[in-house]
Amino acid sequence: MPPRRGTIDLRTVDFKELSKTLKRALGLVLKNYKIQCIIVVICILGQAACTLTGTFFLRSLIDDYILPLTKSANPDFSPLLMALLRMAAIYAIGIVFSFSFNIIMAYVTQGSMRNIRDEIFAHMETLPIKYFDTHAHGDIMSVYTNDVDTLRQLISQSIPQLISSSVTIILTLTSMIILDLPLTILTLLMIGVMVYVSSRIMTRSAVYFGKQQAMLGKVNGYIEEMMEGQKVVKVFCHEEKNLEGFRELNEDLHEAMEKANTFSNITMPVNANIGNISYVLCAIIGAFLVLSGFSSLTLGTLVSFMNLNRNATQPISQISMQVNSVVMAMAGANRVFKLMDEVSEVDNGYVTLVNANIDESGNITEAEHRTGVWAWKHPHKAEGTITYKKLEGDVVFDDVDFGYVPEKMVLHNIKLYATPGQKIAFVGSTGAGKTTITNLINRFYDIDDGKIRYDGININKIKKDDLRHSLGMVLQDTHLFSGTVMDNIRYGKLDATDEECIAAAKLANAHGFIKRLPEGYNTYLTGDGANLSQGQRQLISIARAAVADPPVLILDEATSSIDTRTEKLVQDGMDSLMKGRTTFVIAHRLSTVKNSDCIMVMENGRIIERGTHDELIEAEGRYYELYTGHKAKA
Amino acid sequence: MEIIKTLVKQVKQYKKVTIITPIFTALEVLMEITIPFIMAEIIDKGIQSGNMGQVVFYGSLMLGAAFLSLFFGVMAGKFAASASTGFAANVRDAIFENVQTFSFSNIDKFSTAGLVTRMTTDITNVQMAFQMCLRIVVRAPLMMICSVVMCILISPSLSMIFFVAMIFLGISLSIIISKATKIFNAVFEKYDALNESVQENVSGIRVVKAYVREKYETSKFHKASDNIYKMFVKAEKILAFNNPVMMLAVYGSMLSLSWLGAKNIVLGDLTTGELTSMFSYVMSILMSLMMVSMIFVMMSMSVASMRRITEVINEKPDIHSPENPVMEVKDGQIDFDHVDFAYKHGSGELVLKDIDLHIKSGETIGVIGGTGSGKSSLVNLISRLYDVDKGSVRVGGVNVKDYDMELLRNEVAVVLQKNVLFSGTILDNLRWGKEDATLEECQKACEAAGASEFIAKFPDGYNTWIEQGGTNVSGGQKQRLCIARALLKHPKILILDDSTSAVDTATDARIRKALKEYIPGTTKIIIAQRVNSVMDADRIVVLDEGRVNGFDTHENLLENNAIYAEIYEAQTSGGGDFDEGGED
């Protein structure tokens, strides 16, 4: 979507808020480009001064230089030549100012854009998962695509133009006041009329632009839905009705657009002609004043005044246009700042993960290099000592309660124990809380009550980065990134060699199909691996987890249908990945469930049954019901 | 040229305003040229000579001109708005209408996102360009011509200055613009890539966080963003020459005009008043030149949009109803006679090879096979969603190409694999199947599709509002609603393309049983990944790499067909699904 064009109802704008936002936006620019900004302002002033000098010179040219020439019998062109050379010098300075302004602005604008983009991205990466849950992805994206762009226009166009227009107006008005006060007041009165009329037009226009935006949203929604479902539309022969519905919306949109555009199109001619009327009134009243002798005004000054009057109109209508775009840019800036002001994920953890060596007697020492053995480094502030604990993958939930929002708990009294190497399966209906449990282990969300311990350490004490490093995750939605297959596997461990990545792919059963891709491991993936099948994407995401080699795994098995053969590959890949690791698996497959050390049957945020497959079948409860499809006895 | 032709056709009922707009613009321009004249007269004849009568006379003349100019300007603005928005509405309508005629293979060609962009951003671009054209295309050349003519009338020799300036400006501007647009085009591509990486991070944030890759992603982003910064600066530095070049042309003309003008005045070839007029013409000539260059930039930017739009408008649907269609489907008998099929006709790889299948009316047929074995392609040929390359498909003994398409698709109901519910109530969605279906009919269909239980649990029952894309119901619920919607058609043939994959085994079985009672005479084709879902069909088709590998009953296939036996073995001995049952 292009940045929204249109106007804003000036009456509804909170100017205090606006100036605060504007200050902050300018602050972002000034932070890195203070000197450049000063030079830019000097350039603007210089250029305005040069242009004005030029205008005055042209006016004096005829009277002061050319007319004397015609009167003398033997004309001396040298004063004229000197004057022209002087002007050429002033023009040249003006050109230099203009050029420097444009060059510096290129750096200031684009540099600020880069800094703002970098800043919001870096900040976005620190935000908690909750933020992404509660904000539409389209809205987040539009901060990058639309809102940052409105800021660019603000910096590169609106503000410089506002400055130069203001300078012109101030200079013109000052000259006017010096020439004649009553006529200045008349001119100001007409300017007042102009501002009033154009703000009225803008307000009307804003109403229709608002309507246009709303209709545009509706039409886009309709188009999106119908294009997405076009095949279904075909199958049900719904084309005619569809078109009918579209035409209705399209007509409404057209109407709103036409009105909105009409109002914005007529702003210019209206302003220009109010300017013309102002000119006529000035001439008539001025001439009357001069001729009737009511004023000390001379005809000569009146002529000069008339010229100034002509010049005053243009910057006014420019300013009114720029004010409008500043207000709109501020709306965009507000959204940018809102993202920047979101609170980052809090991390008070101090237990870190280190490479370790263990000697025969079980003493753990910290190692500089990767040893394959990991330990938790636990500093104790009170005693000033540091203890080490081997990373094993022992996870305990002790009476955990959790809710995404405080009013509604989704997990109640969750208790579970996973000893190293165990496989824990979660089964139950959608919304029972299976995924939520796994998201608590890696602290995507923080629990409300109870405790989660990892190797005996409360996970709140572990630094989030280190905690997550120790956990591998394979999600149902694979989320591959733009890059080669190799890049995507290496995502699990950035310093992995090609050999390590290939070994991981072999472990995950992905090697076979990757080799058959047109460019093997160097095949470039885009759009979440759109050129691969669902099963292949899963195999790569398993390889990605494998290369990270974490002691604890969180798996979310895919429900979507993969054909039996690929499914077998995925299954085997997951099985070999799970070997020897503590695994939490949200299970959909019989084999996974059957092989688990413990099955948790969840319903409505509670664990209602737990045990091995055989035990649960024996019990003939909910699990039995799910497994056999028969109703449970009790 | 082809592109422009296609788009111009869409002007349609707005032809009149499209033509009127430039006329009013021209009148407005005439006023704009006249007014400075009158202004000069007020000064020269009125004020400078102290003649109040002349001031009032020319003043009222100018007032009249101003009101005329206001009127013309407002009308031009109004008509331009009407023409451009009307044109945009027509283009939007044309795209939408044409998409409605698309066959499946036409739809496959364009992505949903691509179609949406065309109907939104692209149309907005074209609309702006259209309006710009209407308003500037007349204004700029007219201004220029008038000014040039006036200049030549005043002094042919002095006009040479303008020609030199114009040539200088024209050449410099076109070099600057062509150089800059090249970089801009490259940088926009990079920009898209940057936005895509943001998108990936937003939607894949869990993976980023799970692997603690925040810093890695941030530095990756910084690098890309810095790269774009450098390219943008490079392009803008070229554009920075724009203003100075313009100023050089204007100031250069002014100065040489002053010098040469002064000489001519002294010689008596020129009056001072004429020199003043020449000054203002310099400005308007060079300004209109700038405007023309702006049009070119606008046009070249919207060319890509125009091309994308015409692509869709000119896309010809490749499946039509025949001229004298058969208007009745006798029964649900289906015959495939040695059918070959490829998604890209002629050149593409064959997806189905030599399919020869004969299905009796009322039979229940299972279809099983791996991904890419051609299951969906096979059934999509029955309701003529695609056309075959070789051989023929017959329904009720008649070639599908001879039927009226709407009739055929109403008699052959397909529940697509990638199915969609639309925003509206459950009842609204069900009535897609039969427009005037009563609540009772809908309830019956839902009963058969196993949907009535969970609908009853919704507080609003059948009036529950379904969000766009059906995001507020679970996958299994969605599938069952889609089945019910198809059932309401009371078709002669019902095709379920993997339509119960998200439903638990028990419910799946219940649905199949209910279907038998609800539409006993209907031929049913069930595609599934689970052997369970097809086991009790009358016969089962085993597809493998586009060929029929076996077509028989469950028992016989188990004995004779290796592929079928393998799938069965894999799924029943612990590799099967443990589905999330009890969704409702």
Side-chain angles (χ1 to χ4, degrees), chain B residues 52 62 80 122 158 184 229 304 323 370 513 547 577:
Chain B
M52 190 62 200
M62 178 157 160
D122 285 338
L158 284 184
F184 273 126
Y229 157 73
E323 277 195 19
K513 209 173 138 215
R547 288 180 193 282
D577 285 357

Side-chain angles (χ1 to χ4, degrees), chain B residues 496-518:
Chain B
L496 302 178
D497 188 353
D498 210 4
S499 308
T500 54
S501 59
V503 180
D504 64 88
T505 326
T507 314
D508 184 24
R510 262 209 320 276
I511 294 172
R512 269 178 285 122
K513 209 173 138 215
L515 285 183
K516 235 175 229 167
E517 288 155 22
Y518 185 76

